[in-house]
Amino acid sequence: MTVIKRNGAEVDFDIGKIISAVTKANDSMDESARMTPVQIRRIAESVELQCLKMNRAPSVEEIQDLVEYQIMAHGAFEVAKNYITYRYTRSLVRKSNTTDEKILSLIECCNEEAKQENSNKNPVVNSTQRDYMAGEVSRDLSERLLLPRDIVEAHREGIIHFHDTDYYAQHMHNCDLVNLEDMLQNGTVITGTLIERPHSFSTACNIATQIIAQVASNQYGGQSISLAHLAPFVDVSRRKIRRVVEQEMAAIDAHPTPEKLAELVETRLRDEVRRGVQTIQYQVLTLLTTNGQAPFVTVFMYLGEAKSEQERRDLALIIEETLEQRYQGVKNEDGVWITPAFPKLIYVLEEDNVHDDSPYYYLTKLAAKCTAKRMVPDYISEKKMKEYKEGNCFPVMGCRSNLSPWKDENGNYKFYGRFNQGVVTLNLVDVALSSGGSLEKFWRIFDERLELCYRALMCRHNRLKGTLSDVAPILWQYGACARLAKGETIDKLLVGGYSTISLGYAGLYECVKYMTGKSHTDPSATPFALKVMEHMNEACSRWKAETSIGFGIYGTPLESTTYKFAKCLQRRFGVIPGITDKGYITNSYHVHVSEEINAFEKLKFEARFQHLSTGGAISYVEVPDMQNNLEAVLQVMKFIYDNIMYAELNTKSDYCQVCGWDGEIRIVEENGKLIWKCPKCGNTDQDKMNVARRTCGYIGTQFWNQGRTQEIRDRVMHL
């Protein structure tokens, strides 16, 4: 049996701690009023029995309540009084300074919550610790002073999740689409230094990585750039190289044919493209931003963004090199080729590349090969996105947060330079369980919770209001998001739908299962699931009309929150078979991991819900090792093109980073935890093993918490 501590971590139940606490309260009494050691032991055993009957992990507060009750049940009222006084005193100490213990645990590297929070951060590194320490102060300020009490309590109880409270105190936003085109074509400023339009492709790539690092240090979410914004500089380099080659030929009095000259130029150009793409990949991986992690950056590959046929061919050249380098991977400290976590890649399926006879089908085959080995790129269907987004196709902002179409004063659609203000996620399972199964009560509670989310989201919006452009010049003054004047506020970018703000949701499957007794994949229950989605959309539309703020529904990537929500549900409602009996709840609208369903059926079913998740969502299918069956990967990709806007393939591709073994990695369970063991060298060091699974953008071995680990275990049957 385990116990949930106040910081959310789980530890083994220790009856000795109860005996020790009661003994201390007992020893402070006159000898005549004291209990005997036998009585104290019986109190502790009674508490242990009550906890076992809960059939879930009790919290520290619940255990202490039980201790109080048992002391009084033994008639030791004075001892109980002392015990209550001690609890109250400790509570005051905690409230007077809530951050000390957490910060000290961060410094000593024993804060499990921090270790599980973000798999892209190493909590042992000084720079990461500094960011976490600042985050604890920000979270403390936010919860005590900046946020309304009912929102804080709802967050703690898992009724909602107020994302990124560790950044809320500062005037920072979530994620964005970097306007790399504006910054490269018109110049920018980085730390007070003017950066003019680059004169070569390799220089453009170098500047792009500097921009990525600066942007990542001034917001807390993901960011996306488009390779199309780099494509014009390929021809800049081509012309430059041609001049150099012509000079070299003249110097040796050589007279190559035009065809031979073009061949020499293109050979050198390809080498520059290779070096430029390599610059982006390696610098992104080796950069460390001010928040102690590599930038969460997504690279968008869309031929349809090219402005001319020449630019399209040049863009194809960059895409080809990007896929080739990702397929190769990078070497780790042991010299083993591994799959890098970033940059995340998104490849757009379009008429020019999706059919066997398409001119750029060779790129799609290369993407399939890369996916089978490295699990990237993800795929966006130009066909479906244009259906949903008023004829437009554009990238998500990092992981999955998606913009709504927006036109400038000239009636032109604009996407780059826009951003997301933040996310608050609603626990749909809690809504269902709170209703007790009554539909009338369900819709009433649902509306109350939506109103709570609205107020929480308005807190985010209002926190950004009045923010001066000076707080992040790279974002607001020098082109990444805008070119505002010094001293100007960003307020006009927060309204009119220019930026988005996201109502996240989680646990649609469990919500529907509790209310109808069936999975949302059951045809008789699907209409209810769709009605839940439509109800959230209606709320967002109403809020948008009332405020002119770009509300949208967001299929939240739960990460560590999946475990928090599950434990809060167990604490509030107990263990309910099929609903709260796991250490996780299902991500957004996804089909539950236990359901047998093939890749095509899953994507087709989830497409109906992704269409209603206007603020962003992603579907995925999990398949076995497909490196020797690329035709099957291509068939899934073609199916994505015709059926769903945004999807990824989680392919099984395991390897040991110690010996380089790339065959099947054994799964061993020890003490309730998954251990991945290399059958060749016996390595079980999880930091030295790549078991290629992913959630959001992360690829690797670290499962954030027990809930995520259990979900992976339950999903193994499908791999």
Side-chain angles (χ1 to χ4, degrees):
M1 180 174 62
T2 58
V3 175
I4 301 175
K5 297 177 68 177
R6 290 181 180 87
N7 65 3
E10 282 199 34
V11 297
D12 291 334
F13 179 89
D14 184 357
I15 194 173
K17 289 186 177 181
I18 298 175
I19 294 172
S20 175
V22 177
T23 299
K24 287 179 181 178
N26 193 52
D27 289 346
S28 65
M29 302 299 301
D30 292 335
E31 191 170 348
S32 59
R34 292 178 189 170
M35 294 184 294
T36 66
V38 173
Q39 288 177 306
I40 294 173
R41 163 64 67 170
R42 286 175 180 169
I43 287 170
E45 290 172 346
S46 296
V47 171
E48 182 180 27
L49 181 61
Q50 291 297 314
C51 290
L52 287 169
K53 288 181 178 179
M54 290 181 184
N55 197 27
R56 60 176 173 81
S59 67
V60 170
E61 293 292 340
E62 287 177 310
I63 292 174
Q64 290 181 339
D65 288 342
L66 289 171
V67 171
E68 285 182 18
Y69 176 81
Q70 288 298 327
I71 294 174
M72 289 187 286
H74 279 72
F77 298 108
E78 290 300 318
V79 177
K81 180 179 177 181
N82 277 6
Y83 182 78
I84 293 169
T85 301
Y86 172 77
R87 281 187 68 186
Y88 178 69
T89 302
R90 294 303 304 162
S91 175
L92 287 177
V93 170
R94 283 192 298 271
K95 288 179 180 178
S96 65
N97 196 332
T98 59
T99 60
D100 285 358
E101 183 181 347
K102 287 186 176 181
I103 288 177
L104 288 171
S105 68
L106 284 167
I107 295 170
E108 299 305 323
C109 305
C110 57
N111 187 322
E112 292 300 319
E113 187 178 19
K115 291 178 183 178
Q116 296 168 355
E117 182 185 28
N118 187 334
S119 56
N120 190 34
K121 286 186 176 184
N122 183 352
V124 175
V125 177
N126 282 339
S127 58
T128 307
Q129 287 187 352
R130 187 170 62 247
D131 179 65
Y132 277 155
M133 289 165 65
E136 288 299 339
V137 174
S138 174
R139 185 179 288 112
D140 181 49
L141 285 171
S142 298
E143 293 182 352
R144 287 192 297 110
L145 302 175
L146 301 178
L147 287 171
R149 179 53 43 194
D150 61 336
I151 290 173
V152 173
E153 290 303 321
H155 172 80
R156 287 176 177 169
E157 290 296 316
I159 294 169
I160 65 171
H161 186 71
F162 194 96
H163 292 258
D164 305 295
T165 52
D166 51 340
Y167 290 100
Y168 178 70
Q170 286 186 277
H171 301 285
M172 298 177 74
H173 70 282
N174 182 19
C175 52
D176 41 47
L177 296 187
V178 178
N179 197 342
L180 195 61
E181 181 179 36
D182 179 18
M183 302 178 83
L184 292 176
Q185 294 292 342
N186 301 314
T188 188
V189 174
I190 298 178
T191 59
T193 302
L194 177 64
I195 309 295
E196 297 180 319
R197 186 179 187 272
H199 299 299
S200 69
F201 177 76
S202 58
T203 302
C205 291
N206 193 30
I207 293 171
T209 59
Q210 294 177 52
I211 290 170
I212 288 167
Q214 288 284 323
V215 170
S217 295
N218 285 280
Q219 42 92 279
Y220 56 81
Q223 59 177 295
S224 293
I225 64 167
S226 175
L227 291 183
H229 296 166
L230 291 166
F233 297 95
V234 174
D235 199 48
V236 171
S237 282
R238 179 183 286 112
R239 293 194 299 270
K240 184 176 181 180
I241 291 170
R242 186 180 185 89
R243 288 194 297 270
V244 171
V245 172
E246 287 174 343
Q247 291 170 1
E248 290 174 350
M249 294 299 102
I252 61 173
D253 198 27
H255 304 282
T257 64
E259 292 77 16
K260 187 62 178 179
L261 181 65
E263 181 183 334
L264 289 170
V265 170
E266 291 302 313
T267 298
R268 294 193 187 184
L269 180 65
R270 276 188 169 270
D271 184 60
E272 177 159 339
V273 170
R274 180 189 61 78
R275 286 185 282 109
V277 170
Q278 191 175 64
T279 293
I280 293 175
Q281 175 160 282
Y282 277 87
Q283 286 206 27
V284 165
L285 288 173
T286 56
L287 283 169
L288 204 62
T289 65
T290 56
N291 57 9
Q293 67 180 81
F296 190 131
V297 61
T298 294
V299 171
F300 189 55
M301 301 180 288
Y302 178 30
L303 293 167
E305 287 187 310
K307 295 181 173 65
S308 67
E309 193 54 44
Q310 178 63 60
E311 192 171 297
R312 184 185 294 264
R313 289 194 294 269
D314 291 342
L315 177 55
L317 183 64
I318 304 171
I319 292 172
E320 181 180 12
E321 186 61 42
T322 300
L323 292 171
E324 289 282 10
Q325 290 195 26
R326 180 52 64 91
Y327 177 78
Q328 182 183 44
V330 297
K331 284 186 178 181
N332 68 0
E333 59 186 312
D334 297 306
V336 176
W337 290 97
I338 65 169
T339 299
F342 297 109
K344 183 179 171 71
L345 303 180
I346 294 180
Y347 182 85
V348 177
L349 300 167
E350 49 191 299
E351 283 298 306
D352 275 357
N353 65 22
V354 78
H355 305 295
D356 295 20
D357 57 353
S358 300
Y360 295 101
Y361 188 62
Y362 71 95
L363 290 178
T364 300
K365 290 196 292 185
L366 181 56
K369 178 183 174 184
C370 190
T371 289
K373 185 172 185 178
R374 301 297 184 192
M375 293 204 307
V376 291
D378 294 348
Y379 297 97
I380 280 180
S381 164
E382 179 195 51
K383 176 181 177 180
K384 301 307 290 185
M385 181 174 265
K386 283 189 170 183
E387 284 181 23
Y388 301 157
K389 301 291 184 180
E390 300 178 12
N392 296 284
C393 183
F394 51 91
V396 296
M397 294 180 281
C399 179
R400 70 187 66 180
S401 186
N402 210 334
L403 293 164
S404 298
W406 182 88
K407 294 180 180 179
D408 63 19
E409 63 275 9
N410 298 315
N412 299 318
Y413 285 104
K414 176 180 171 62
F415 296 98
Y416 294 99
R418 294 172 60 194
F419 59 98
N420 180 263
Q421 298 179 35
V423 184
V424 173
T425 291
L426 175 61
N427 186 343
L428 292 174
V429 192
D430 193 276
V431 176
L433 295 179
S434 297
S435 75
S438 165
L439 279 174
E440 180 182 355
K441 196 173 180 182
F442 173 84
W443 294 112
R444 177 174 58 78
I445 294 173
F446 198 179
D447 285 336
E448 291 172 355
R449 298 289 170 77
L450 286 171
E451 180 62 24
L452 180 70
C453 287
Y454 167 72
R455 290 194 294 107
L457 287 167
M458 288 304 296
C459 287
R460 285 204 169 280
H461 172 79
N462 291 327
R463 189 69 187 155
L464 289 172
K465 281 178 66 176
T467 298
L468 297 177
S469 65
D470 307 73
V471 304
I474 192 73
L475 296 175
W476 311 120
Q477 296 175 359
Y478 301 127
C481 289
R483 291 199 181 261
L484 302 176
K486 293 183 178 181
E488 186 177 357
T489 71
I490 68 169
D491 290 12
K492 66 182 181 183
L493 306 178
L494 303 176
V495 294
Y498 184 86
S499 57
T500 59
I501 192 163
S502 303
L503 169 66
Y505 65 96
L508 182 64
Y509 161 80
E510 289 88 354
C511 170
V512 175
K513 182 74 178 290
Y514 182 78
M515 296 303 297
T516 68
K518 299 175 182 177
S519 166
H520 64 326
T521 57
D522 188 294
S524 64
T526 302
F528 177 75
L530 291 170
K531 190 175 180 181
V532 170
M533 295 288 295
E534 290 163 357
H535 195 70
M536 289 188 288
N537 266 300
E538 290 165 2
C540 285
S541 296
R542 185 173 64 254
W543 301 339
K544 188 173 184 178
E546 293 171 352
T547 64
S548 188
I549 300 170
F551 289 94
I553 301 178
Y554 177 64
T556 308
L558 289 182
E559 301 181 0
S560 60
T561 309
T562 187
Y563 181 68
K564 169 196 168 183
F565 273 179
K567 286 304 173 184
C568 287
L569 289 167
Q570 291 174 0
R571 190 158 60 244
R572 285 164 57 81
F573 303 101
V575 175
I576 303 172
I579 310 296
T580 64
D581 55 351
K582 304 286 187 183
Y584 59 89
I585 65 172
T586 306
N587 191 324
S588 59
Y589 56 74
H590 289 175
V591 174
H592 195 269
V593 297
S594 65
E595 293 191 31
E596 295 287 348
I597 188 169
N598 67 51
F600 303 102
E601 290 175 352
K602 185 177 190 292
L603 290 174
K604 192 166 187 177
F605 173 78
E606 291 187 350
R608 302 169 68 183
F609 295 87
Q610 189 179 103
H611 175 42
L612 292 169
S613 205
T614 57
I618 190 169
S619 289
Y620 57 79
V621 292
E622 303 215 5
V623 294
D625 189 340
M626 303 293 282
Q627 293 185 72
N628 296 317
N629 192 8
L630 295 184
E631 186 56 39
V633 177
L634 287 164
Q635 290 305 312
V636 174
M637 290 161 61
K638 291 175 181 178
F639 188 84
I640 290 170
Y641 175 71
D642 285 322
N643 291 277
I644 192 167
M645 186 178 76
Y646 185 23
E648 64 184 30
L649 278 74
N650 286 355
T651 56
K652 190 172 189 295
S653 178
D654 305 346
Y655 51 88
C656 175
Q657 296 182 20
V658 173
C659 68
W661 167 262
D662 62 355
E664 180 77 17
I665 298 294
R666 294 172 184 167
I667 305 168
V668 182
E669 188 168 346
E670 294 182 3
N671 301 320
K673 295 181 180 180
L674 288 179
I675 301 296
W676 309 89
K677 184 175 183 179
C678 175
K680 182 178 179 181
C681 69
N683 169 44
T684 59
D685 183 350
Q686 301 304 284
D687 291 329
K688 295 290 185 181
M689 197 89 74
N690 185 90
V691 184
R693 315 285 183 263
R694 67 178 169 183
T695 298
C696 195
Y698 177 70
I699 302 173
T701 60
Q702 181 175 338
F703 305 129
W704 290 267
N705 50 54
Q706 295 177 51
R708 182 63 69 203
T709 303
Q710 185 181 354
E711 184 179 355
I712 295 294
R713 184 191 297 113
D714 291 348
R715 199 182 287 151
V716 164
M717 68 180 75
H718 297 298
L719 298 178

